[in-house]
Amino acid sequence: MTDAPILARPAADIAEPLALYVHWPFCAAKCPYCDFNSHVRPGVDAARHGRALLAELEHEAGRAGRRRLVSIFFGGGTPSLMPPEAVAALIARARTLFEPAPDLEITLEANPTSVEAGKLREFRAAGVNRLSLGVQALDAASLGFLGRNHSAGEAVAALEHARATFPRLSFDLIYARPGQGEAAWREELRRALSLAADHLSLYQLTVEPGTRFATEHARGAFHLPEGDEAAALYAATAEEAARFGLLPYEVSNYARPGAESRHNLAYWRYGDYLGIGAGAHQRLTTGGEVFAARRHRAPEIWLERVERDGHARVEEEALTPVERGREAMLMGLRLAEGIDPARIEARSGLDFDAVVDHAMLEALMEEGYLRWLPGGRLGATMEGRLRLDALLPVLLR
Ligand SMILES: C[S@@+](CC[C@H](N)C(=O)[O-])C[C@H]1O[C@@H](n2cnc3c(N)ncnc32)[C@H](O)[C@@H]1O
Ligand code: SF4
């Protein structure tokens, strides 16, 4: 990687709004596919953990300054295990520490067990206005394979309850499961779409290193669709979603126009975000520099540090202009709307040609992976979006 600091300008941070991510690192059970920072611990002191989140929020807000707040996202782990009072306190505090946008999006990820479904009204009363339910599959065998501790009936009941409770609703499904053919997936997806969410996250099952599935997959316990088969499932997904008016605005995210997740858009448009809680990442622009930080991953150490120092940041570095440009491209090309070269230049402080290799850009266009979009934006085609991991290293300088 070559850097060109001499030619770089500061990263423009004028009016860069803020998204806030809050991580709850605990789950009732560990799913065999999951490599998120999630832990199963007996007897979590949830009230104490909630107080520490509040302390870390106050600490970080003091450094970030009074910015316009466009989104709060409670992710995990399983944030639906949080005490609703802790969620309410964090929302109320964030509203006073920042300038809340009139359409502030407040999302909470929930697992659809009956226990958690029973708390939905309290989360709504706490200020949550968007729920993201981890449904994952709609039949008992698949839910069993994925190690989920909810039934298909519970998932449908939770969806109905959530639809009646929250103005905005999304749910997640994991497809391209072992032996799942295209016809079966189309049928499952149609059922899911008829449950009438205006946003869906549809992920192809990935075997992540270090998970139980990685061990089982390595010894041949199951096989996943790959190559053309996986590409056909992806194309079928977009087709079915489009029939219900949901468009793929990002690689794995589908929404009715206007129902896109503002929080995720903040990441993909390379906006600023504050991340609090164990293992959370953040990107903050101050004084023309973009600072990347992350926090202790282990919940116990995180808690101890926050109680001692007010925060559990372990690393913070100013990104180089080239790193800023690369990150902005990596994020932006995931979106159907693509990237605006002027935005890449503003956030990196570099000319667009110092971020991308122009000859490679031309070549990738000729091969049908990238294309110019209206308004001078650059986007990946569907083929390109399926291969971003391979394309970006050759495209970026
Ligand atoms: C932080 S997790 C979900 C939160 C919540 N605890 C749950 O399980 O519903 C976010 C989403 O990532 C997806 N996911 C996690 N690991 C995955 C994997 N290995 N392959 C595909 N999707 C995955 C799942 O759909 C999951 O709902
Ligand atoms: S998928 Fe969700 S519930 Fe399962 S371990 Fe990961 S974060 Fe926890």
Side-chain angles (χ1 to χ4, degrees):
M1 188 168 85
T2 53
D3 202 344
I6 311 148
L7 300 173
R9 301 172 292 273
D13 58 350
I14 313 129
E16 200 53 57
L18 195 67
L20 169 65
Y21 176 77
V22 182
H23 191 75
W24 186 260
F26 306 111
C27 293
K30 184 80 184 175
C31 304
Y33 54 85
C34 178
D35 77 338
F36 282 79
N37 188 31
S38 59
H39 308 267
V40 180
R41 299 277 196 264
V44 173
D45 188 341
R48 183 173 164 201
H49 210 88
R51 281 194 299 275
L53 282 170
L54 212 48
E56 196 168 49
L57 171 63
E58 307 243 353
H59 185 97
E60 292 300 317
R63 301 171 78 232
R66 217 180 148 72
R67 314 263 292 262
R68 196 162 67 90
L69 184 66
V70 291
S71 164
I72 306 175
F73 191 102
F74 293 88
T78 306
S80 47
L81 295 174
M82 285 177 82
E85 312 80 66
V87 172
L90 283 157
I91 294 173
R93 198 71 193 103
R95 280 184 168 281
T96 59
L97 290 166
F98 304 107
E99 294 288 349
D103 55 354
L104 175 64
E105 174 183 280
I106 306 178
T107 308
L108 182 125
E109 280 180 349
N111 284 20
T113 66
S114 49
V115 181
E116 287 149 297
K119 288 161 78 182
L120 295 187
R121 246 189 270 283
E122 288 173 85
F123 288 127
R124 177 72 188 111
V128 173
N129 55 26
R130 182 173 180 273
L131 198 80
S132 173
L133 265 184
V135 171
Q136 319 306 0
L138 286 175
D139 67 279
S142 303
L143 288 168
F145 169 73
L146 293 171
R148 302 293 292 184
N149 51 11
H150 65 263
S151 68
E154 274 180 315
V156 174
L159 273 173
E160 279 165 7
H161 185 24
R163 208 173 37 211
T165 312
F166 294 89
R168 297 173 68 205
L169 172 66
S170 176
F171 62 94
D172 297 0
L173 292 178
I174 297 181
Y175 71 104
R177 306 186 296 259
Q180 188 184 34
E182 190 182 315
W185 168 233
R186 279 184 190 267
E187 196 273 324
E188 182 178 5
L189 183 53
R190 268 182 226 145
R191 256 191 314 139
L193 286 158
S194 68
L195 293 166
D198 58 5
H199 186 288
L200 284 180
S201 299
L202 304 169
Y203 301 107
Q204 292 209 350
L205 178 58
T206 315
V207 173
E208 302 289 353
T211 58
R212 200 180 91 207
F213 269 8
T215 317
E216 292 176 2
H217 189 250
R219 68 170 157 80
F222 64 84
H223 300 279
L224 295 181
E226 284 171 15
D228 288 350
E229 214 185 327
L233 287 171
Y234 189 69
T237 304
E239 239 174 70
E240 294 297 336
R243 279 195 202 155
F244 283 77
L246 270 65
L247 304 176
Y249 71 101
E250 189 268 350
V251 178
S252 307
N253 284 277
Y254 301 75
R256 255 181 246 295
E260 296 87 358
S261 154
R262 281 171 222 149
H263 191 82
N264 289 341
L265 282 179
Y267 292 161
W268 295 318
R269 289 176 176 163
Y270 205 48
D272 275 8
Y273 56 94
L274 205 73
I276 61 164
H281 291 251
Q282 74 186 29
R283 294 285 180 280
L284 263 190
T285 313
T286 38
E289 303 247 49
V290 178
F291 290 91
R294 67 175 186 87
R295 299 173 195 287
H296 259 295
R297 278 175 69 82
E300 295 73 16
I301 302 177
W302 174 85
L303 187 64
E304 198 184 290
R305 293 292 158 87
V306 174
E307 289 181 344
R308 193 188 69 194
D309 304 330
H311 71 89
R313 234 179 301 114
V314 277
E315 259 172 32
E316 181 151 49
E317 53 162 359
L319 298 175
T320 66
V322 168
E323 284 168 339
R324 299 189 314 235
R326 294 171 77 92
E327 280 198 341
M329 290 290 293
L330 278 167
M331 296 300 216
L333 283 180
R334 299 179 64 89
L335 288 171
E337 68 178 23
I339 56 97
D340 176 359
R343 168 89 178 149
I344 302 294
E345 292 187 339
R347 293 298 276 151
S348 66
L350 293 169
D351 290 339
F352 193 54
D353 281 349
V355 179
V356 303
D357 179 329
H358 209 77
M360 279 317 300
L361 176 65
E362 299 281 328
L364 293 173
M365 284 201 170
E366 239 161 69
E367 287 171 42
Y369 294 128
L370 296 175
R371 62 187 164 143
W372 288 112
L373 303 170
R377 302 180 70 91
L378 175 72
T381 60
M382 191 188 257
E383 289 71 30
R385 269 195 270 161
L386 272 175
R387 295 173 182 79
L388 278 183
D389 288 350
L391 298 185
L392 285 160
V394 294
L395 175 66
L396 299 174
R397 282 189 183 278

PDB file of all heavy atoms in Angstrom, residues 23-40 76-79 109 111 134 136 146-149 174, ligand 2:
ATOM      1  N   HIS A  23     -23.329  -1.793  21.930  1.00  0.00           N
ATOM      2  CA  HIS A  23     -23.195  -3.253  21.846  1.00  0.00           C
ATOM      3  C   HIS A  23     -23.551  -3.936  23.162  1.00  0.00           C
ATOM      4  O   HIS A  23     -23.004  -3.601  24.208  1.00  0.00           O
ATOM      5  CB  HIS A  23     -21.751  -3.610  21.467  1.00  0.00           C
ATOM      6  CG  HIS A  23     -21.590  -5.051  21.095  1.00  0.00           C
ATOM      7  ND1 HIS A  23     -22.022  -5.549  19.887  1.00  0.00           N
ATOM      8  CD2 HIS A  23     -21.086  -6.114  21.780  1.00  0.00           C
ATOM      9  CE1 HIS A  23     -21.786  -6.849  19.835  1.00  0.00           C
ATOM     10  NE2 HIS A  23     -21.226  -7.216  20.979  1.00  0.00           N
ATOM     11  N   TRP A  24     -24.452  -4.923  23.066  1.00  0.00           N
ATOM     12  CA  TRP A  24     -24.789  -5.767  24.230  1.00  0.00           C
ATOM     13  C   TRP A  24     -24.209  -7.145  23.929  1.00  0.00           C
ATOM     14  O   TRP A  24     -24.697  -7.843  23.029  1.00  0.00           O
ATOM     15  CB  TRP A  24     -26.311  -5.834  24.418  1.00  0.00           C
ATOM     16  CG  TRP A  24     -26.684  -6.564  25.684  1.00  0.00           C
ATOM     17  CD1 TRP A  24     -27.092  -7.859  25.796  1.00  0.00           C
ATOM     18  CD2 TRP A  24     -26.674  -6.026  27.011  1.00  0.00           C
ATOM     19  NE1 TRP A  24     -27.329  -8.165  27.110  1.00  0.00           N
ATOM     20  CE2 TRP A  24     -27.071  -7.064  27.876  1.00  0.00           C
ATOM     21  CE3 TRP A  24     -26.336  -4.792  27.550  1.00  0.00           C
ATOM     22  CZ2 TRP A  24     -27.168  -6.883  29.256  1.00  0.00           C
ATOM     23  CZ3 TRP A  24     -26.434  -4.615  28.923  1.00  0.00           C
ATOM     24  CH2 TRP A  24     -26.850  -5.647  29.770  1.00  0.00           C
ATOM     25  N   PRO A  25     -23.163  -7.563  24.668  1.00  0.00           N
ATOM     26  CA  PRO A  25     -22.383  -8.722  24.227  1.00  0.00           C
ATOM     27  C   PRO A  25     -22.874 -10.086  24.724  1.00  0.00           C
ATOM     28  O   PRO A  25     -22.142 -11.065  24.616  1.00  0.00           O
ATOM     29  CB  PRO A  25     -20.992  -8.415  24.814  1.00  0.00           C
ATOM     30  CG  PRO A  25     -21.310  -7.689  26.086  1.00  0.00           C
ATOM     31  CD  PRO A  25     -22.568  -6.906  25.843  1.00  0.00           C
ATOM     32  N   PHE A  26     -24.077 -10.157  25.277  1.00  0.00           N
ATOM     33  CA  PHE A  26     -24.534 -11.422  25.868  1.00  0.00           C
ATOM     34  C   PHE A  26     -25.651 -12.075  25.065  1.00  0.00           C
ATOM     35  O   PHE A  26     -26.482 -11.376  24.476  1.00  0.00           O
ATOM     36  CB  PHE A  26     -25.007 -11.191  27.313  1.00  0.00           C
ATOM     37  CG  PHE A  26     -23.972 -10.511  28.167  1.00  0.00           C
ATOM     38  CD1 PHE A  26     -24.166  -9.214  28.620  1.00  0.00           C
ATOM     39  CD2 PHE A  26     -22.784 -11.167  28.489  1.00  0.00           C
ATOM     40  CE1 PHE A  26     -23.202  -8.580  29.393  1.00  0.00           C
ATOM     41  CE2 PHE A  26     -21.817 -10.540  29.264  1.00  0.00           C
ATOM     42  CZ  PHE A  26     -22.020  -9.241  29.711  1.00  0.00           C
ATOM     43  N   CYS A  27     -25.642 -13.415  25.066  1.00  0.00           N
ATOM     44  CA  CYS A  27     -26.697 -14.196  24.411  1.00  0.00           C
ATOM     45  C   CYS A  27     -27.099 -15.331  25.334  1.00  0.00           C
ATOM     46  O   CYS A  27     -26.304 -15.756  26.178  1.00  0.00           O
ATOM     47  CB  CYS A  27     -26.182 -14.804  23.110  1.00  0.00           C
ATOM     48  SG  CYS A  27     -25.831 -13.546  21.875  1.00  0.00           S
ATOM     49  N   ALA A  28     -28.306 -15.853  25.122  1.00  0.00           N
ATOM     50  CA  ALA A  28     -28.775 -16.981  25.928  1.00  0.00           C
ATOM     51  C   ALA A  28     -28.034 -18.257  25.534  1.00  0.00           C
ATOM     52  O   ALA A  28     -27.806 -19.143  26.356  1.00  0.00           O
ATOM     53  CB  ALA A  28     -30.275 -17.155  25.747  1.00  0.00           C
ATOM     54  N   ALA A  29     -27.647 -18.360  24.260  1.00  0.00           N
ATOM     55  CA  ALA A  29     -26.882 -19.528  23.770  1.00  0.00           C
ATOM     56  C   ALA A  29     -26.055 -19.057  22.589  1.00  0.00           C
ATOM     57  O   ALA A  29     -26.417 -18.080  21.932  1.00  0.00           O
ATOM     58  CB  ALA A  29     -27.849 -20.631  23.329  1.00  0.00           C
ATOM     59  N   LYS A  30     -24.942 -19.739  22.323  1.00  0.00           N
ATOM     60  CA  LYS A  30     -24.096 -19.336  21.192  1.00  0.00           C
ATOM     61  C   LYS A  30     -24.502 -20.123  19.952  1.00  0.00           C
ATOM     62  O   LYS A  30     -24.482 -21.359  19.954  1.00  0.00           O
ATOM     63  CB  LYS A  30     -22.619 -19.587  21.533  1.00  0.00           C
ATOM     64  CG  LYS A  30     -21.646 -19.112  20.466  1.00  0.00           C
ATOM     65  CD  LYS A  30     -21.380 -17.620  20.519  1.00  0.00           C
ATOM     66  CE  LYS A  30     -20.485 -17.154  19.373  1.00  0.00           C
ATOM     67  NZ  LYS A  30     -20.302 -15.703  19.327  1.00  0.00           N
ATOM     68  N   CYS A  31     -24.861 -19.425  18.885  1.00  0.00           N
ATOM     69  CA  CYS A  31     -25.248 -20.102  17.650  1.00  0.00           C
ATOM     70  C   CYS A  31     -23.986 -20.620  16.950  1.00  0.00           C
ATOM     71  O   CYS A  31     -22.954 -19.942  16.961  1.00  0.00           O
ATOM     72  CB  CYS A  31     -26.008 -19.146  16.743  1.00  0.00           C
ATOM     73  SG  CYS A  31     -27.457 -18.435  17.558  1.00  0.00           S
ATOM     74  N   PRO A  32     -24.073 -21.800  16.331  1.00  0.00           N
ATOM     75  CA  PRO A  32     -22.845 -22.443  15.821  1.00  0.00           C
ATOM     76  C   PRO A  32     -22.194 -21.734  14.631  1.00  0.00           C
ATOM     77  O   PRO A  32     -21.061 -22.035  14.289  1.00  0.00           O
ATOM     78  CB  PRO A  32     -23.342 -23.837  15.406  1.00  0.00           C
ATOM     79  CG  PRO A  32     -24.815 -23.698  15.222  1.00  0.00           C
ATOM     80  CD  PRO A  32     -25.262 -22.653  16.190  1.00  0.00           C
ATOM     81  N   TYR A  33     -22.894 -20.784  14.009  1.00  0.00           N
ATOM     82  CA  TYR A  33     -22.344 -20.078  12.841  1.00  0.00           C
ATOM     83  C   TYR A  33     -21.781 -18.719  13.203  1.00  0.00           C
ATOM     84  O   TYR A  33     -21.153 -18.061  12.380  1.00  0.00           O
ATOM     85  CB  TYR A  33     -23.455 -19.880  11.776  1.00  0.00           C
ATOM     86  CG  TYR A  33     -24.679 -19.192  12.334  1.00  0.00           C
ATOM     87  CD1 TYR A  33     -24.748 -17.808  12.414  1.00  0.00           C
ATOM     88  CD2 TYR A  33     -25.759 -19.930  12.828  1.00  0.00           C
ATOM     89  CE1 TYR A  33     -25.855 -17.177  12.971  1.00  0.00           C
ATOM     90  CE2 TYR A  33     -26.862 -19.305  13.373  1.00  0.00           C
ATOM     91  CZ  TYR A  33     -26.901 -17.937  13.451  1.00  0.00           C
ATOM     92  OH  TYR A  33     -27.981 -17.310  14.012  1.00  0.00           O
ATOM     93  N   CYS A  34     -22.005 -18.264  14.435  1.00  0.00           N
ATOM     94  CA  CYS A  34     -21.835 -16.844  14.761  1.00  0.00           C
ATOM     95  C   CYS A  34     -20.441 -16.512  15.285  1.00  0.00           C
ATOM     96  O   CYS A  34     -19.969 -17.130  16.245  1.00  0.00           O
ATOM     97  CB  CYS A  34     -22.870 -16.456  15.813  1.00  0.00           C
ATOM     98  SG  CYS A  34     -22.712 -14.736  16.337  1.00  0.00           S
ATOM     99  N   ASP A  35     -19.795 -15.528  14.656  1.00  0.00           N
ATOM    100  CA  ASP A  35     -18.495 -15.081  15.186  1.00  0.00           C
ATOM    101  C   ASP A  35     -18.555 -13.636  15.692  1.00  0.00           C
ATOM    102  O   ASP A  35     -17.541 -12.968  15.807  1.00  0.00           O
ATOM    103  CB  ASP A  35     -17.380 -15.261  14.144  1.00  0.00           C
ATOM    104  CG  ASP A  35     -17.408 -14.189  13.074  1.00  0.00           C
ATOM    105  OD1 ASP A  35     -18.471 -13.569  12.869  1.00  0.00           O
ATOM    106  OD2 ASP A  35     -16.363 -13.965  12.430  1.00  0.00           O
ATOM    107  N   PHE A  36     -19.769 -13.178  15.979  1.00  0.00           N
ATOM    108  CA  PHE A  36     -19.903 -11.843  16.563  1.00  0.00           C
ATOM    109  C   PHE A  36     -19.361 -11.868  18.000  1.00  0.00           C
ATOM    110  O   PHE A  36     -19.208 -12.944  18.591  1.00  0.00           O
ATOM    111  CB  PHE A  36     -21.374 -11.408  16.587  1.00  0.00           C
ATOM    112  CG  PHE A  36     -21.868 -10.939  15.245  1.00  0.00           C
ATOM    113  CD1 PHE A  36     -22.218 -11.844  14.257  1.00  0.00           C
ATOM    114  CD2 PHE A  36     -21.965  -9.582  14.962  1.00  0.00           C
ATOM    115  CE1 PHE A  36     -22.664 -11.407  13.014  1.00  0.00           C
ATOM    116  CE2 PHE A  36     -22.399  -9.144  13.717  1.00  0.00           C
ATOM    117  CZ  PHE A  36     -22.748 -10.056  12.748  1.00  0.00           C
ATOM    118  N   ASN A  37     -19.099 -10.692  18.555  1.00  0.00           N
ATOM    119  CA  ASN A  37     -18.596 -10.633  19.928  1.00  0.00           C
ATOM    120  C   ASN A  37     -19.762 -10.864  20.888  1.00  0.00           C
ATOM    121  O   ASN A  37     -20.314  -9.939  21.468  1.00  0.00           O
ATOM    122  CB  ASN A  37     -17.936  -9.264  20.175  1.00  0.00           C
ATOM    123  CG  ASN A  37     -17.231  -9.215  21.508  1.00  0.00           C
ATOM    124  OD1 ASN A  37     -16.738 -10.244  21.984  1.00  0.00           O
ATOM    125  ND2 ASN A  37     -17.198  -8.054  22.133  1.00  0.00           N
ATOM    126  N   SER A  38     -20.137 -12.154  20.998  1.00  0.00           N
ATOM    127  CA  SER A  38     -21.295 -12.499  21.829  1.00  0.00           C
ATOM    128  C   SER A  38     -20.910 -13.641  22.758  1.00  0.00           C
ATOM    129  O   SER A  38     -20.203 -14.570  22.355  1.00  0.00           O
ATOM    130  CB  SER A  38     -22.467 -12.902  20.929  1.00  0.00           C
ATOM    131  OG  SER A  38     -22.105 -13.999  20.128  1.00  0.00           O
ATOM    132  N   HIS A  39     -21.355 -13.552  23.990  1.00  0.00           N
ATOM    133  CA  HIS A  39     -20.915 -14.488  25.023  1.00  0.00           C
ATOM    134  C   HIS A  39     -22.092 -14.985  25.847  1.00  0.00           C
ATOM    135  O   HIS A  39     -23.035 -14.242  26.081  1.00  0.00           O
ATOM    136  CB  HIS A  39     -19.920 -13.789  25.961  1.00  0.00           C
ATOM    137  CG  HIS A  39     -18.794 -13.126  25.225  1.00  0.00           C
ATOM    138  ND1 HIS A  39     -17.600 -13.755  24.988  1.00  0.00           N
ATOM    139  CD2 HIS A  39     -18.704 -11.910  24.636  1.00  0.00           C
ATOM    140  CE1 HIS A  39     -16.813 -12.938  24.296  1.00  0.00           C
ATOM    141  NE2 HIS A  39     -17.456 -11.815  24.067  1.00  0.00           N
ATOM    142  N   VAL A  40     -21.973 -16.243  26.264  1.00  0.00           N
ATOM    143  CA  VAL A  40     -22.991 -16.799  27.160  1.00  0.00           C
ATOM    144  C   VAL A  40     -22.404 -16.776  28.566  1.00  0.00           C
ATOM    145  O   VAL A  40     -21.349 -17.359  28.804  1.00  0.00           O
ATOM    146  CB  VAL A  40     -23.344 -18.247  26.758  1.00  0.00           C
ATOM    147  CG1 VAL A  40     -24.406 -18.821  27.685  1.00  0.00           C
ATOM    148  CG2 VAL A  40     -23.812 -18.287  25.312  1.00  0.00           C
ATOM    149  N   GLY A  76     -25.869  -6.684  18.866  1.00  0.00           N
ATOM    150  CA  GLY A  76     -25.258  -7.639  19.784  1.00  0.00           C
ATOM    151  C   GLY A  76     -24.523  -8.747  19.080  1.00  0.00           C
ATOM    152  O   GLY A  76     -24.179  -8.609  17.919  1.00  0.00           O
ATOM    153  N   GLY A  77     -24.403  -9.800  19.851  1.00  0.00           N
ATOM    154  CA  GLY A  77     -25.130 -10.187  21.052  1.00  0.00           C
ATOM    155  C   GLY A  77     -26.657 -10.084  20.880  1.00  0.00           C
ATOM    156  O   GLY A  77     -27.164 -10.004  19.786  1.00  0.00           O
ATOM    157  N   THR A  78     -27.300 -10.096  22.016  1.00  0.00           N
ATOM    158  CA  THR A  78     -28.759 -10.065  22.024  1.00  0.00           C
ATOM    159  C   THR A  78     -29.263  -8.907  22.875  1.00  0.00           C
ATOM    160  O   THR A  78     -29.542  -9.082  24.074  1.00  0.00           O
ATOM    161  CB  THR A  78     -29.322 -11.416  22.537  1.00  0.00           C
ATOM    162  OG1 THR A  78     -28.760 -12.472  21.762  1.00  0.00           O
ATOM    163  CG2 THR A  78     -30.832 -11.477  22.397  1.00  0.00           C
ATOM    164  N   PRO A  79     -29.387  -7.715  22.285  1.00  0.00           N
ATOM    165  CA  PRO A  79     -29.823  -6.560  23.083  1.00  0.00           C
ATOM    166  C   PRO A  79     -31.253  -6.658  23.583  1.00  0.00           C
ATOM    167  O   PRO A  79     -31.622  -5.927  24.509  1.00  0.00           O
ATOM    168  CB  PRO A  79     -29.638  -5.372  22.145  1.00  0.00           C
ATOM    169  CG  PRO A  79     -29.414  -5.938  20.798  1.00  0.00           C
ATOM    170  CD  PRO A  79     -28.955  -7.344  20.941  1.00  0.00           C
ATOM    171  N   GLU A 109     -31.963  -4.823  17.989  1.00  0.00           N
ATOM    172  CA  GLU A 109     -31.990  -6.192  17.467  1.00  0.00           C
ATOM    173  C   GLU A 109     -32.622  -7.094  18.518  1.00  0.00           C
ATOM    174  O   GLU A 109     -32.254  -7.031  19.688  1.00  0.00           O
ATOM    175  CB  GLU A 109     -30.558  -6.703  17.241  1.00  0.00           C
ATOM    176  CG  GLU A 109     -29.919  -6.219  15.972  1.00  0.00           C
ATOM    177  CD  GLU A 109     -28.506  -6.766  15.810  1.00  0.00           C
ATOM    178  OE1 GLU A 109     -27.942  -7.341  16.762  1.00  0.00           O
ATOM    179  OE2 GLU A 109     -27.951  -6.599  14.728  1.00  0.00           O
ATOM    180  N   ASN A 111     -34.185 -11.147  19.489  1.00  0.00           N
ATOM    181  CA  ASN A 111     -34.392 -12.552  19.140  1.00  0.00           C
ATOM    182  C   ASN A 111     -35.857 -12.874  19.396  1.00  0.00           C
ATOM    183  O   ASN A 111     -36.431 -12.391  20.375  1.00  0.00           O
ATOM    184  CB  ASN A 111     -33.489 -13.445  19.996  1.00  0.00           C
ATOM    185  CG  ASN A 111     -32.049 -13.397  19.527  1.00  0.00           C
ATOM    186  OD1 ASN A 111     -31.651 -12.459  18.843  1.00  0.00           O
ATOM    187  ND2 ASN A 111     -31.259 -14.387  19.890  1.00  0.00           N
ATOM    188  N   GLY A 134     -34.251 -11.339  14.594  1.00  0.00           N
ATOM    189  CA  GLY A 134     -33.392 -12.402  14.057  1.00  0.00           C
ATOM    190  C   GLY A 134     -34.183 -13.672  13.827  1.00  0.00           C
ATOM    191  O   GLY A 134     -34.073 -14.633  14.581  1.00  0.00           O
ATOM    192  N   GLN A 136     -34.116 -15.779  11.006  1.00  0.00           N
ATOM    193  CA  GLN A 136     -33.130 -16.709  10.420  1.00  0.00           C
ATOM    194  C   GLN A 136     -33.699 -17.800   9.521  1.00  0.00           C
ATOM    195  O   GLN A 136     -33.120 -18.101   8.488  1.00  0.00           O
ATOM    196  CB  GLN A 136     -32.219 -17.358  11.489  1.00  0.00           C
ATOM    197  CG  GLN A 136     -31.717 -16.455  12.619  1.00  0.00           C
ATOM    198  CD  GLN A 136     -31.004 -15.189  12.166  1.00  0.00           C
ATOM    199  OE1 GLN A 136     -30.862 -14.942  10.990  1.00  0.00           O
ATOM    200  NE2 GLN A 136     -30.585 -14.366  13.102  1.00  0.00           N
ATOM    201  N   LEU A 146     -29.452 -24.420  12.636  1.00  0.00           N
ATOM    202  CA  LEU A 146     -28.783 -23.153  12.967  1.00  0.00           C
ATOM    203  C   LEU A 146     -28.624 -22.959  14.482  1.00  0.00           C
ATOM    204  O   LEU A 146     -28.076 -21.953  14.924  1.00  0.00           O
ATOM    205  CB  LEU A 146     -29.561 -21.973  12.371  1.00  0.00           C
ATOM    206  CG  LEU A 146     -29.566 -21.880  10.832  1.00  0.00           C
ATOM    207  CD1 LEU A 146     -30.554 -20.805  10.361  1.00  0.00           C
ATOM    208  CD2 LEU A 146     -28.174 -21.583  10.274  1.00  0.00           C
ATOM    209  N   GLY A 147     -29.126 -23.920  15.248  1.00  0.00           N
ATOM    210  CA  GLY A 147     -28.951 -23.867  16.704  1.00  0.00           C
ATOM    211  C   GLY A 147     -29.765 -22.768  17.362  1.00  0.00           C
ATOM    212  O   GLY A 147     -29.398 -22.273  18.430  1.00  0.00           O
ATOM    213  N   ARG A 148     -30.877 -22.382  16.753  1.00  0.00           N
ATOM    214  CA  ARG A 148     -31.665 -21.286  17.314  1.00  0.00           C
ATOM    215  C   ARG A 148     -32.574 -21.814  18.422  1.00  0.00           C
ATOM    216  O   ARG A 148     -33.050 -22.946  18.343  1.00  0.00           O
ATOM    217  CB  ARG A 148     -32.523 -20.624  16.224  1.00  0.00           C
ATOM    218  CG  ARG A 148     -31.704 -20.082  15.084  1.00  0.00           C
ATOM    219  CD  ARG A 148     -30.843 -18.915  15.496  1.00  0.00           C
ATOM    220  NE  ARG A 148     -31.642 -17.750  15.828  1.00  0.00           N
ATOM    221  CZ  ARG A 148     -31.123 -16.555  16.142  1.00  0.00           C
ATOM    222  NH1 ARG A 148     -29.813 -16.380  16.189  1.00  0.00           N
ATOM    223  NH2 ARG A 148     -31.907 -15.546  16.430  1.00  0.00           N
ATOM    224  N   ASN A 149     -32.817 -20.977  19.430  1.00  0.00           N
ATOM    225  CA  ASN A 149     -33.693 -21.476  20.490  1.00  0.00           C
ATOM    226  C   ASN A 149     -35.098 -20.882  20.425  1.00  0.00           C
ATOM    227  O   ASN A 149     -35.742 -20.680  21.423  1.00  0.00           O
ATOM    228  CB  ASN A 149     -33.060 -21.338  21.889  1.00  0.00           C
ATOM    229  CG  ASN A 149     -32.560 -19.938  22.140  1.00  0.00           C
ATOM    230  OD1 ASN A 149     -32.862 -19.039  21.366  1.00  0.00           O
ATOM    231  ND2 ASN A 149     -31.812 -19.747  23.223  1.00  0.00           N
ATOM    232  N   ILE A 174     -31.208 -16.323   7.135  1.00  0.00           N
ATOM    233  CA  ILE A 174     -29.943 -16.884   6.635  1.00  0.00           C
ATOM    234  C   ILE A 174     -30.308 -17.943   5.603  1.00  0.00           C
ATOM    235  O   ILE A 174     -31.018 -18.905   5.919  1.00  0.00           O
ATOM    236  CB  ILE A 174     -29.121 -17.519   7.775  1.00  0.00           C
ATOM    237  CG1 ILE A 174     -28.729 -16.441   8.804  1.00  0.00           C
ATOM    238  CG2 ILE A 174     -27.886 -18.200   7.219  1.00  0.00           C
ATOM    239  CD1 ILE A 174     -27.890 -16.960   9.958  1.00  0.00           C
TER     240      ILE A 174
HETATM  241  S1  SF4 B   2     -26.493 -15.085  16.042  1.00  0.00           S
HETATM  242 FE1  SF4 B   2     -27.315 -13.692  17.562  1.00  0.00          FE
HETATM  243  S2  SF4 B   2     -28.088 -15.029  19.220  1.00  0.00           S
HETATM  244 FE2  SF4 B   2     -26.759 -16.260  17.977  1.00  0.00          FE
HETATM  245  S3  SF4 B   2     -24.779 -16.130  19.055  1.00  0.00           S
HETATM  246 FE3  SF4 B   2     -24.788 -14.580  17.393  1.00  0.00          FE
HETATM  247  S4  SF4 B   2     -25.461 -12.752  18.352  1.00  0.00           S
HETATM  248 FE4  SF4 B   2     -26.013 -14.433  19.741  1.00  0.00          FE
END
